Amino acid sequence: MNLFKQYASYAFGAFGHDAFYATLSTYFPIFVTSVLFTGHANSAQMIGAVSAMLVVIRLVEIAFDPMIGGVVDNTRTRWGKFKPWLLGGGLVSSITLMIIFTSIGGLADHNDMLYLIVFGIVFVILVDCKINPNAVRAKKISFL
């Protein structure tokens, strides 16, 4: 029964992670290109800037992902290694996922540079809080 509980909890966690990532990778480009910057004089430049930021952030994370994985792997709490990260990461990433699909309080309409800075910070928090702890947990479970 314990083994079934472990596999079921992994399956439900993987389903949540995949739904989260599918939302981010499928609908975010559509949101940026058809909703966020419509009616701007420089909409093409802003769409290009957001797209370039996504690429740069993901490339920079190549260096940081092993460090975050090490922090998650070396966590010792009474709830275990992964539960605090998965619970906290799930809460933080659900809030930041909702923020990503907005104009961040009108910043996209009024202050383009500040929007790009805040977007970059929110996106890094979003990816690091959800995707990395779940990936570390998946690698540990696959070796059981």
Side-chain angles (χ1 to χ4, degrees):
M1 184 64 180
N2 193 20
L3 190 61
F4 175 76
K5 181 180 173 185
Q6 186 175 8
Y7 286 140
S9 67
Y10 174 72
F12 287 122
F15 176 76
H17 171 265
D18 293 344
F20 162 82
Y21 196 73
T23 301
L24 187 62
S25 63
T26 304
Y27 295 113
F28 187 69
I30 295 168
F31 172 74
V32 169
T33 56
S34 64
V35 176
L36 186 60
F37 296 115
T38 56
H40 273 171
N42 62 348
S43 61
Q45 290 86 6
M46 287 300 291
I47 291 169
V50 169
S51 300
M53 284 184 66
L54 291 175
V55 171
V56 169
I57 288 170
R58 296 302 284 183
L59 289 174
V60 169
E61 282 187 340
I62 291 172
F64 289 108
D65 283 354
M67 290 183 264
I68 293 168
V71 169
V72 171
D73 199 31
N74 291 321
T75 299
R76 306 269 189 264
T77 66
R78 66 180 184 177
W79 300 289
K81 286 184 181 186
F82 303 110
K83 287 179 188 173
W85 287 101
L86 293 174
L87 181 63
L91 293 173
V92 170
S93 64
S94 64
I95 292 168
T96 56
L97 187 63
M98 288 187 289
I99 291 171
I100 284 289
F101 283 96
T102 66
S103 65
I104 307 180
L107 283 178
D109 301 325
H110 302 297
N111 193 339
D112 295 343
M113 187 56 68
L114 187 58
Y115 172 80
L116 292 175
I117 292 168
V118 172
F119 167 78
I121 293 168
V122 169
F123 190 79
V124 167
I125 291 170
L126 172 70
V127 172
D128 286 341
C129 282
K130 180 65 178 159
I131 294 174
N132 291 336
N134 201 41
V136 171
R137 181 180 70 116
K139 289 178 180 89
K140 291 291 182 181
I141 262 186
S142 64
F143 291 112
L144 292 178

